[in-house]
Amino acid sequence: MRTDLPEITSKLPGVETTIFTVMSELAQEHGALNLSQGFPDFDGPPQLLERVQHYLTHGFNQYAPMMGVPALREAVAAKVSALYGLTADPDAEVTITSGATEALFCAIAAVVSPGDEVIVFDPAYDSYEPVVTLQGGITRHVPLHPPDYRVDWDQVADLLSERTRLIITNTPHNPTGTVWQAGDVDALAQVVADRRMFVLADEVYEHIIFDGQEHQSLCRYPELYARAFVVSSFGKTYHTTGWKIGYCVAPPALTAEFRRIHQFVTFTSNTPVQLGLADFLSAHPEHHLTLGNFYQPKRDLFCQLLEGSGFRAVPSAGTYFQLLDYSAFSDENDMDLAMRLTRESRIASIPVSVFYAQPPDHRMLRFCFAKDDATLRRGAEILCSL
Ligand code: GLN
């Protein structure tokens, strides 16, 4: 170790390696069935793979425009218009990013300054708070509780202060699999009305929603959209999480500041995948509408197979995650149990308490059901044998 280097004063001293990496590595180390990190064990649509391959092998391998290829921005604008009735200008309101993760980073960095407060709902996706902290912001947590994980809007109102700058929403919600109802959006609208606040809507699971429910995109609500960054991910929608392409739709003034940051985070995202996605979105606008019907039987299969086991499930209303309450089975804390099950029983899951600022008093593990039916059967078999 050299002694002439300055010490690094971490800007994220309490932050450890993300749980998704920890659990996937542990699963690999122990040869465990990996139902932890959220990714499908099947491929994206063949026509999409073909289009990307086409662009890869036909010379489309140089920088894309900073805000994303025009055809893909136009396809996103067409989608939000068709689904949510929002007329978004692809040149001024749509930016393609390197995954939703980058979009979340740029949106938070665009509006949060030192001392600003940001409201999140726990269990909260783990990338939000570190980015707030990096901007010098302070994260305020509103805990959600099982079985329904509904927002207590009075509690949100109590947390508001002169310094509240941003509220981060996520529906369908990772990790609980709950979805917002229209009443939640009305309550959000009341909370932000007449306040100098922005909203960051993490809608990466917008198309994975079950039982005939409608996704409450903030794109549907002009009053809220006027102050919102709406973020989504092609990785979830097209079973291609490794491609890391997402987007942000936001009004022109917000997008301008967003791009000011985006251009120096990644500048732009990879060209052949953007072009392939643009072709596929235009040719198969029906694909994303089929995702609910595609994933719902997987949710049902997984829950059904677990009936009679030591795990209790309230069927997920959206996302490809299922929470299992294991309180009847064990009183270990969820981190210890998730680790032990990976090592000893060869099945990996995600402990939910890591997404809470204050440890919750319930016991839940999250399992990803974006898997072939054979994989789900194998997983359920292990869980039923415990
Ligand atoms: N969003 C995915 C999940 O919840 C993981 C993403 C990641 O690994 N960073 O499992």
Side-chain angles (χ1 to χ4, degrees), residues 91-313:
D91 290 333
E93 297 180 73
V94 181
T95 310
I96 307 301
T97 59
S98 298
T101 307
E102 195 232 332
L104 294 167
F105 184 99
C106 295
I108 294 169
V111 297
V112 176
S113 298
D116 286 347
E117 294 183 0
V118 178
I119 295 179
V120 304
F121 298 99
D122 287 0
Y125 187 63
D126 68 349
S127 82
Y128 308 150
E129 180 161 13
V131 184
V132 173
T133 306
L134 283 175
Q135 311 314 315
I138 299 153
T139 305
R140 300 281 181 221
H141 299 262
V142 177
L144 309 176
H145 306 284
D148 55 7
Y149 294 96
R150 294 259 74 90
V151 175
D152 177 344
W153 287 101
D154 290 336
Q155 216 175 337
V156 177
D158 287 347
L159 273 189
L160 294 171
S161 81
E162 283 307 303
R163 292 183 302 180
T164 310
R165 181 78 162 158
L166 178 69
I167 182 163
I168 304 180
T169 64
N170 173 217
T171 181
H173 184 247
N174 179 11
T176 67
T178 53
V179 302
W180 273 21
Q181 308 300 316
D184 291 300
V185 183
D186 292 343
L188 173 68
Q190 276 183 24
V191 158
V192 300
D194 305 323
R195 288 189 166 265
R196 300 175 75 81
M197 272 178 71
F198 297 99
V199 181
L200 170 53
D202 180 345
E203 302 189 2
V204 300
Y205 300 101
E206 62 183 320
H207 306 302
I208 308 178
I209 185 160
F210 310 131
D211 306 311
Q213 300 210 56
E214 260 197 351
H215 169 57
Q216 294 296 329
S217 175
L218 292 200
C219 292
R220 290 182 192 276
Y221 300 88
E223 278 297 302
L224 280 164
Y225 176 71
R227 54 172 88 224
F229 299 88
V230 179
V231 167
S232 192
S233 168
F234 294 112
K236 314 290 170 196
T237 301
Y238 298 108
H239 317 312
T240 52
T241 61
W243 285 359
K244 296 296 297 182
I245 304 282
Y247 62 85
C248 176
V249 183
L254 279 65
T255 292
E257 194 56 32
F258 181 98
R259 288 179 180 172
R260 197 168 283 163
I261 294 164
H262 160 75
Q263 65 181 334
F264 297 119
V265 175
T266 58
F267 177 61
T268 186
S269 304
N270 100 61
T271 308
V273 171
Q274 289 195 56
L275 290 168
L277 281 166
D279 284 359
F280 187 79
L281 241 84
S282 317
H284 297 282
E286 78 294 345
H287 169 89
H288 47 262
L289 302 177
T290 63
L291 283 187
N293 285 341
F294 173 74
Y295 278 116
Q296 189 170 324
K298 293 188 179 296
R299 173 202 70 175
D300 291 343
L301 175 68
F302 190 57
C303 289
Q304 213 171 31
L305 291 169
L306 289 169
E307 277 170 20
S309 75
F311 297 91
R312 281 197 313 269

Side-chain angles (χ1 to χ4, degrees), residues 374-386:
T375 313
L376 294 175
R377 287 183 196 282
R378 207 144 49 89
E381 204 177 309
I382 298 173
L383 295 173
C384 287
S385 72
L386 297 173

